[in-house]
Amino acid sequence: MRESSVKEKLIGVAGRLFHKQGYNLTGINQVIEEADIARGSMYNHFQSKTDLLIAYLEQFQEEWFRSLEEFLRPITDPKKRLLALFEYRIRRQQRAEFSGCPFTKISAEIGNEEAEVLKTVQKFKDSVRSYIAGLVAQVKHRNILTNEALTEMIYLMMEGGLVSAAIYKNPGDLKRGKKIVEQFL
Amino acid sequence: MRESSVKEKLIGVAGRLFHKQGYNLTGINQVIEEADIARGSMYNHFQSKTDLLIAYLEQFQEEWFRSLEEFLRPITDPKKRLLALFEYRIRRQQRAEFSGCPFTKISAEIGNEEAEVLKTVQKFKDSVRSYIAGLVAQVKHRNILTNEALTEMIYLMMEGGLVSAAIYKNPGDLKRGKKIVEQFL
DNA sequence: GTCTATAAGATGATAGAC
DNA sequence: GTCTATCATCTTATAGAC
């Protein structure tokens, strides 16, 4: 097998399992078995399970934003783009059976000593927040709130909606959040 | 030891560890050792680790609302009571070193088959939402949003703020969320 | 680089003595 | 009801052959 495709396969399988079952409930054994790669090979490519986790998170972030850009490309109106960001998250949750935001989920699963993982999660959240701020800046909204406050509100309602989607296993709160945000644009 | 105090001690120790270290990262071994109770005794009181978890969550919910009522008792103005609910959560997060909402955290840690645990989490979230709705109903607010929408907004921003507190290990977003909510009251 | 065998310990849970 | 000894399995990670 190609050198890189071993890595890719491990990240792919591990990511799917981490996402679906949870990080702590997924053992290295299961990952290597389903990826059909030997234990030693895995540890040749990744120093530790944490290392594999971080590789997965970094790849996920890349894919997430790439896929978002694609989803928003046909939409030009900034208002509609902002609402489409909600829609993007709703659809991803539906496809993932409402497992919640993978980054948030991981942050709840890791131990207090895993500082690097937490930093990776923070980096993703920072990027999402910046993305929202960028869209808000382009919207000529109703000015009930400042740009900063509107950004904060949207970010928090999205985070809250994602948590709620995972807890109730439905997109209700995300959809209601989207509707409320719509009233401010 | 009194029959009930064995149970209480186990719930207390387990709860503290589940909260601080995470549920999956806390073994039964550590719980019984720190509680100074024999393995067999623990399984005499609780059928399983999941059983202990649910007992902890139920006790936590009881304590949480009892403590909230106490915190709000001196405040009469419904507006101030709503903002004090934010303050209550900020203070609890500060005391708990920003470990996030225990119920949300647990929902991210458990496996897909633990339906009863998820129901316990939902019950808590339902109660919080109802509590917010009750306060909103008493407020003569600025009517930018309906009571239902305002309740939803506050609930989602609070949930989002709690997640954010856990990820960034600071109360920034919870405080900013509180300020935004204030503008609607 | 890939593999198998194995280490060293932790996991949740049970059996059976007292 | 409380205890200790033990089960069977799983955990992450490493050593060393090829």
Side-chain angles (χ1 to χ4, degrees), chain B residues 45-63:
Chain B
H45 288 285
F46 300 98
Q47 284 198 329
S48 63
K49 192 189 175 189
T50 302
D51 210 42
L52 177 57
L53 170 62
I54 290 171
Y56 152 64
L57 289 177
E58 283 173 346
Q59 181 183 297
F60 191 97
Q61 166 156 1
E62 219 171 304
E63 187 276 328

Side-chain angles (χ1 to χ4, degrees), chain A residues 27-29 39 43 48-49:
Chain A
I28 288 290
N29 289 348
R39 174 174 235 75
Y43 277 100
S48 64
K49 192 189 175 189

Side-chain angles (χ1 to χ4, degrees), chain A residues 10-22 26 34-35 56:
Chain A
L10 282 167
I11 293 175
V13 170
R16 181 171 52 76
L17 295 172
F18 291 169
H19 201 152
K20 203 175 95 185
Q21 303 180 338
T26 302
E34 295 200 19
Y56 152 65

Side-chain angles (χ1 to χ4, degrees), chain B residues 27-29 39 43 48-49:
Chain B
I28 289 290
N29 289 348
R39 175 173 234 77
Y43 278 101
S48 63
K49 192 189 175 189

